[in-house]
Amino acid sequence: MRQGVICMLIAALVLQLAGGVVAGGAEPLAMTTQETIRTVAVSGVPTALMRGARLPERMPSFHTDAACHLADSWQSWSGMVWFSSPDGEHISKPLPAGTVTEPGVYYYLGLVLEPDGLASFSDAPSVTVCGTTAAVQRLEDGRLFVCVRYGSDDGRLEGLLPETLPFRDVSRRAWYFESVAYAYRQGLMSGTGTTEFEPDTATSRAMLVQVLYRLAGQPAAAGGEFSDVGDGVWYADAVSWAAGAQIVNGYGNGRFGPDDPVTREQTAAILYRYAAWYDLAGDGEAPLSGYPDAGTVSSWARSAMGWAVGAGYLTGSAEDGAVLLRPQALAVRAQTAAILARFCRSLQKQEHAMPRADYFTARGTTVLYLPLDNRPVNDLRVEALADSTGMNVLLPPEDLYATRLDGQTTNANGTQYGDTHALLQWVLDNEDACDMLIVSMDQLLSGGLVNSRWEDGTDLTWEKDAIDTLSQIAARKPVYVFDTVMRLATTAGYQGLDSEAYRLFRSYGMAERGELTGHNLTVDNIIAGYPYGADGERIETTLDDELVEHYLAARARKLRLTDYLLRHAESFAACVVGVDDSAARISVQTNEIRYLQRLLGKNCALFCGTDELGMMAFTRAYADCAGWNSRLSVHYFGGYEDSVADAYDTSTLRESVEQHITALGAELVDWNEQSDAVVLVLTRGASSTECSRYLAAWEENCRNGVPTIVIDASSATQHLPQQLEDTSLQWLMGYSAWGTAANSVGIALSMGLTRLQWLQGEQDPQPEDSEAFARELIFAYMKDIAYCRYCRPTIKDLTPEGIEQALLRQNMTTRVETALKDTALVTGPDGVTDYVIPEFRLTDFSAPLGRSYEIRFRILFPNAGPWFTEQ
């Protein structure tokens, strides 16, 4: 109930700012014989907020003859609902009491008032707060939502004046009021008369072209002439300009059709051509398959509709419980105003985006990082990326985020998982010490990846408040978050579950479920369908009933949290959701994935993969520091790039590569186009001939000075000896063959793009950067080749001594060492190679989770400090 009230209050607040009723002056309470409350006076609220002060927590008092109090559902907010707005117009989510105020920010105090007994509020009650007239919104259940603002200049309490429009037919309560107000304020749209806007009237071709003409700044018109566009008519210059810019065309018979109405898909197409003319369209395009009427979109409009939907300019329309595109429906003026408002605000954000610079530096930048867990791929490898760029990583104490499997020593709080409450407090305590944040939501909300598959609580109040807290921080500095879709199985070796339980749960999760579509695809319906197969019958399993119920409850909790995260993701710099341990079939994950895909905004991504997400988040943040997108071309060897990547993926290998590239903020270009680097991918099932072609392309790139990223998704060993002997590392930017195909893709791309951007743009390169990168290459080779492919299948003893003996006795370890030592690495875009990998040795071996899949060791250089690496 509480979250529903939050949404209602936010909507009420935004509506008030867009034009709510402002109450009259405060007078003594006058009760009618029907006990109708006409005036309310609120006291106990500060009249000013000093900069750097904390938002108050004390309860205000109310003066009426019929006592008023805050709604029960808000008692936990100590009687107050605080909001903030950097620009005085756009309101953020509720702030907790005690938040420190910042200079130049408006703060809003919202109060929910409810009369006791039989009394009720009048239709237009007047409310004052400490003598200042407040804006009032009457809620459907009879309560009042009251709001006042503290001015950003002097911090004094001030009343809220409503937005005023001259149009009698645009109600302040209408869904399109704010959009019409925006279009009117910006001079994009005017009324059809002095006091009429006609929001339900279809937009004509002339109207739409005139709007875009104004948006373009009314440039000189130099287009075609049309027989039905007379000289001097109000839209003549606009039509001439639009035709010349190829934003609109005539009908081919000399006519333009200025009075013809435009449909929603025609509006999208015209707007798309306008954006393309000014090089603002970008490459984003959303799939339309999630809409029941996607098949009715005209073929010529599919790209434009996909672009408009993907960018959020055009949204679905609710009809009989389903969300429809309605492409052939006429675009009325209210809808056009809404589309234009979204489009213009998006352009404003692009104008403030960081331009591509010739050089940049992120040296000294501090990243606060909350990792997925304590496996080295999640913490130490991210530190390694930072070391190679001169950036700093601020990590919490390991005991706060570590995962401990059965039989391992628990954390200080006595659990096997991270301390979520302590971690949130650590984030708040260290916010001022960092420049940006990278946060694993599985860690923050559940204590790590493993426990997110086990935690089954239903009261998610704290978790949602934690997400809101991150959103508030994101208003002050960049926050990158990543989350996961719960995998098919549980975790072996956790909470008493063994490998047989893992097998049974994965089989249970892979059982086909009924597919949901359209308006039936909701969180509640997905959860209700968990226990049932596609035939509607309960899925049979030999698992204990209580374990199954626990598993399903954990899934439900995880889905609800990710749903809430994506619905509040617009404030984050990026939000990535990885699908953990999946399968290429209809399963318990299918409806979850399809539902979450509908919620993805422009800053969001969802794809298969998990363990690579921390490294990817860092690389994305580093790319944003650089301010440009690297261009990558991809070449596959093996012939299976359009087959499912592996047994733990739902997408093809090609799709996985492209999804990871996009999520990293890079641009995929064709093989024959100019690119910043080339990505070589070896697929599973590759023949010896394909392996040889792959190695030959790698060596050719090195000879020609082409930056190269190598992804070995083959799980094979036959090409590795030749790889060590015949290929050079000089122009190698990144390499991985670890874990699932998605893991390899994400790790290699993260490593490669970070090095590539450093190589091309770092204005203050230091020798320590290349030394750190050399360590990355060493651990990638030692880990992925010597250990994973040759040593891990036979290792039995996971003590430090056992791991060391197994790895150092392996002949492949010696071959890797020989291949790497004395290798020169390029350190500048001009091909300078002034760093050579020195002699090194491995030491300090361990297995953090007590299993062979994750081990770590140190790499030591003579006269250099140690660096932890993982296996």
Side-chain angles (χ1 to χ4, degrees):
M1 174 181 177
R2 180 181 179 196
Q3 298 306 323
V5 174
I6 290 177
C7 294
M8 180 166 58
L9 295 184
I10 292 175
L13 179 58
V14 173
L15 183 59
Q16 275 303 318
L17 295 178
V21 178
V22 175
E27 299 177 358
L29 180 69
M31 294 290 295
T32 68
T33 56
Q34 292 80 23
E35 295 187 344
T36 301
I37 301 174
R38 299 183 182 277
T39 62
V40 179
V42 180
S43 60
V45 172
T47 57
L49 287 177
M50 303 301 294
R51 294 176 179 177
R54 294 185 179 275
L55 297 181
E57 299 182 3
R58 64 179 182 271
M59 175 78 74
S61 59
F62 308 96
H63 173 67
T64 67
D65 286 350
C68 293
H69 61 270
L70 290 183
D72 291 339
S73 59
W74 286 91
Q75 291 300 312
S76 62
W77 287 83
S78 301
M80 297 183 176
V81 186
W82 291 97
F83 302 84
S84 70
S85 170
D87 56 10
E89 180 178 353
H90 301 100
I91 308 304
S92 73
K93 300 175 183 64
L95 299 172
T99 299
V100 176
T101 61
E102 296 184 17
V105 177
Y106 287 93
Y107 289 90
Y108 300 82
L109 171 64
L111 304 169
V112 182
L113 308 185
E114 179 179 342
D116 278 342
L118 300 177
S120 62
F121 293 113
S122 66
D123 290 339
S126 66
V127 179
T128 60
V129 177
C130 293
T132 298
T133 301
V136 181
Q137 173 69 41
R138 186 181 177 89
L139 304 180
E140 293 182 357
D141 59 3
R143 295 176 299 163
L144 299 182
F145 180 65
V146 177
C147 186
V148 289
R149 183 175 75 176
Y150 292 85
S152 65
D153 294 331
D154 58 9
R156 306 297 300 178
L157 186 66
E158 57 185 46
L160 290 177
L161 296 178
E163 177 90 53
T164 57
L165 288 175
F167 311 125
R168 294 178 298 185
D169 53 357
V170 179
S171 168
R172 292 189 179 96
R173 295 177 180 271
W175 66 266
Y176 47 79
F177 178 90
E178 193 277 335
S179 296
V180 171
Y182 179 90
Y184 178 71
R185 287 196 310 267
Q186 300 297 321
L188 301 178
M189 297 183 74
S190 56
T192 55
T194 305
T195 59
E196 286 77 34
F197 183 80
E198 298 186 16
D200 297 322
T201 297
T203 305
S204 69
R205 284 165 59 84
M207 289 177 183
L208 183 57
V209 167
Q210 179 67 20
V211 166
L212 295 180
Y213 182 55
R214 289 172 176 169
L215 180 61
Q218 299 182 330
E225 297 182 356
F226 300 99
S227 61
D228 54 354
V229 179
D231 293 337
V233 296
W234 58 270
Y235 50 81
D237 288 344
V239 171
S240 178
W241 161 79
Q246 298 182 336
I247 294 170
V248 295
N249 301 308
Y251 288 134
N253 56 1
R255 296 181 63 255
F256 175 73
D259 297 325
D260 294 350
V262 292
T263 63
R264 285 163 59 86
E265 66 178 5
Q266 289 171 342
T267 300
I270 292 173
L271 197 63
Y272 179 68
R273 290 195 287 268
Y274 173 90
W277 176 260
Y278 287 99
D279 197 24
L280 298 169
D283 299 322
E285 186 174 321
L288 304 177
S289 57
Y291 295 90
D293 60 341
T296 65
V297 177
S298 301
S299 58
W300 55 265
R302 292 196 69 83
S303 292
M305 285 288 284
W307 167 80
V309 171
Y313 307 144
L314 192 148
T315 59
S317 176
E319 186 174 309
D320 296 330
V323 179
L324 305 176
L325 288 173
R326 302 177 66 233
Q328 275 82 45
L330 298 182
V332 299
R333 285 169 53 83
Q335 294 172 336
T336 301
I339 293 171
L340 283 171
R342 297 173 193 134
F343 180 64
C344 291
R345 284 173 175 151
S346 174
L347 295 186
Q348 290 170 355
K349 290 182 180 179
Q350 292 182 34
E351 289 173 1
H352 290 90
M354 184 185 299
R356 176 166 182 161
D358 291 334
Y359 294 98
F360 75 100
T361 187
R363 188 169 307 283
T365 300
T366 297
V367 180
L368 183 150
Y369 177 49
L370 205 60
L372 186 61
D373 53 37
N374 59 319
R375 290 177 297 155
V377 69
N378 294 317
D379 55 9
L380 297 180
R381 291 198 69 170
V382 174
E383 287 188 295
L385 288 176
D387 287 343
S388 69
T389 63
M391 295 173 68
N392 306 312
V393 172
L394 183 59
L395 274 167
E398 183 178 345
D399 200 63
L400 291 184
Y401 67 86
T403 292
R404 313 295 186 187
L405 297 186
D406 295 345
Q408 292 187 296
T409 302
T410 59
N411 294 323
N413 63 359
T415 72
Q416 296 177 254
Y417 48 87
D419 191 333
T420 56
H421 288 65
L423 285 170
L424 180 58
Q425 188 59 52
W426 178 84
V427 170
L428 295 174
D429 291 343
N430 288 278
E431 179 193 348
D432 292 341
C434 71
D435 301 293
M436 60 181 69
L437 298 85
I438 299 174
V439 178
S440 161
M441 301 310 297
D442 283 309
Q443 182 63 250
L444 180 62
L445 305 181
S446 305
L449 178 65
V450 170
N451 201 58
S452 73
R453 306 165 184 162
W454 180 259
E455 187 69 37
D456 65 344
T458 56
D459 182 359
L460 305 180
T461 302
W462 184 89
E463 289 87 344
K464 292 180 179 180
D465 287 348
I467 294 173
D468 291 340
T469 298
L470 280 186
S471 296
Q472 294 153 20
I473 294 175
R476 300 185 285 270
K477 55 189 60 179
V479 178
Y480 299 80
V481 299
F482 58 98
D483 196 15
T484 62
V485 173
M486 181 173 158
R487 76 179 190 176
L488 295 172
T490 53
T491 303
Y494 192 73
Q495 300 293 335
L497 299 178
D498 56 16
S499 58
E500 177 63 11
Y502 168 87
R503 185 188 67 80
L504 291 173
F505 270 118
R506 194 163 200 275
S507 176
Y508 180 79
M510 289 175 64
E512 184 176 356
R513 266 68 170 182
E515 298 180 71
L516 300 174
T517 59
H519 65 276
N520 291 318
L521 186 59
T522 66
V523 169
D524 288 340
N525 286 346
I526 293 170
I527 293 171
Y530 279 161
Y532 304 101
D535 58 2
E537 298 295 324
R538 184 173 289 273
I539 298 170
E540 295 184 1
T541 178
T542 58
L543 288 162
D544 180 81
D545 289 344
E546 290 187 8
L547 279 179
V548 172
E549 289 302 316
H550 190 103
Y551 166 85
L552 296 180
R555 292 206 77 88
R557 174 184 180 273
K558 193 73 180 67
L559 177 61
R560 292 190 188 280
L561 287 177
T562 307
D563 174 41
Y564 189 84
L565 174 67
L566 289 178
R567 291 181 182 276
H568 297 78
E570 69 278 357
S571 59
F572 298 127
C575 177
V576 174
V577 179
V579 182
D580 188 17
D581 185 7
S582 53
R585 55 183 297 169
I586 304 300
S587 72
V588 71
Q589 292 177 329
T590 302
N591 288 323
E592 296 173 332
I593 294 170
R594 291 176 179 173
Y595 172 79
L596 295 175
Q597 284 174 332
R598 288 188 175 184
L599 303 180
L600 300 180
K602 292 183 66 176
N603 62 330
C604 301
L606 185 151
F607 50 81
C608 286
T610 294
D611 290 335
E612 70 271 24
L613 296 182
M615 294 181 67
M616 290 182 65
F618 176 86
T619 299
R620 174 62 184 268
Y622 186 63
D624 289 347
C625 290
W628 73 75
N629 299 332
S630 296
R631 294 163 55 88
L632 303 178
S633 61
V634 184
H635 194 59
Y636 297 91
F637 301 86
Y640 290 87
E641 58 271 21
D642 293 314
S643 300
V644 176
D646 58 29
Y648 303 97
D649 209 321
T650 62
S651 56
T652 67
L653 182 57
R654 186 192 301 274
E655 291 169 340
S656 180
V657 171
E658 294 177 358
Q659 289 162 352
H660 281 74
I661 288 175
T662 300
L664 285 165
E667 180 184 355
L668 178 67
V669 300
D670 289 339
W671 177 249
N672 57 357
E673 293 185 56
Q674 182 178 359
S675 62
D676 297 309
V678 171
V679 182
L680 304 180
V681 184
L682 185 66
T683 77
R684 62 183 179 86
S687 65
S688 58
T689 300
E690 286 295 302
C691 290
S692 297
R693 290 183 58 242
Y694 148 80
L695 295 173
W698 182 349
E699 183 59 29
E700 182 181 1
N701 283 354
C702 182
R703 287 197 304 270
N704 296 331
V706 177
T708 303
I709 301 171
V710 176
I711 301 170
D712 184 349
S714 68
S715 299
T717 58
Q718 72 268 21
H719 64 281
L720 295 176
Q722 185 183 353
Q723 172 181 320
L724 295 174
E725 296 162 1
D726 298 341
T727 57
S728 171
L729 305 183
Q730 182 174 334
W731 285 91
L732 182 61
M733 303 287 104
Y735 172 84
S736 184
W738 180 76
T740 66
N743 295 156
S744 297
V745 170
I747 291 171
L749 288 173
S750 297
M751 182 180 173
L753 283 169
T754 300
R755 181 63 174 180
L756 177 66
Q757 288 170 331
W758 178 91
L759 194 68
Q760 293 182 328
E762 173 58 53
Q763 68 182 17
D764 184 27
Q766 296 295 322
E768 293 81 4
D769 304 343
S770 292
E771 182 178 280
F773 176 69
R775 288 188 169 108
E776 291 187 75
L777 281 180
I778 293 170
F779 81 72
Y781 263 56
M782 282 292 182
K783 164 180 70 76
D784 299 3
I785 298 176
Y787 178 78
C788 284
R789 298 292 175 86
Y790 287 87
C791 185
R792 184 190 166 208
T794 60
I795 192 169
K796 303 295 183 184
D797 183 359
L798 291 178
T799 64
E801 296 77 12
I803 298 171
E804 179 177 16
Q805 292 176 12
L807 186 57
L808 298 186
R809 282 201 306 254
Q810 174 57 244
N811 178 59
M812 186 54 68
T813 303
T814 303
R815 298 181 70 168
V816 169
E817 182 178 1
T818 301
L820 295 173
K821 190 165 68 73
D822 297 329
T823 295
L825 301 179
V826 64
T827 56
D830 54 359
V832 173
T833 55
D834 57 5
Y835 182 85
V836 176
I837 297 178
E839 182 179 352
F840 61 89
R841 62 188 180 90
L842 312 181
T843 186
D844 293 348
F845 300 85
S846 65
L849 295 190
R851 59 186 186 183
S852 63
Y853 193 67
E854 300 97 357
I855 73 163
R856 77 173 109 194
F857 49 84
R858 290 190 185 196
I859 297 172
L860 294 180
F861 285 154
N863 303 316
W867 183 75
F868 280 96
T869 70
E870 75 85 16
Q871 210 354 160

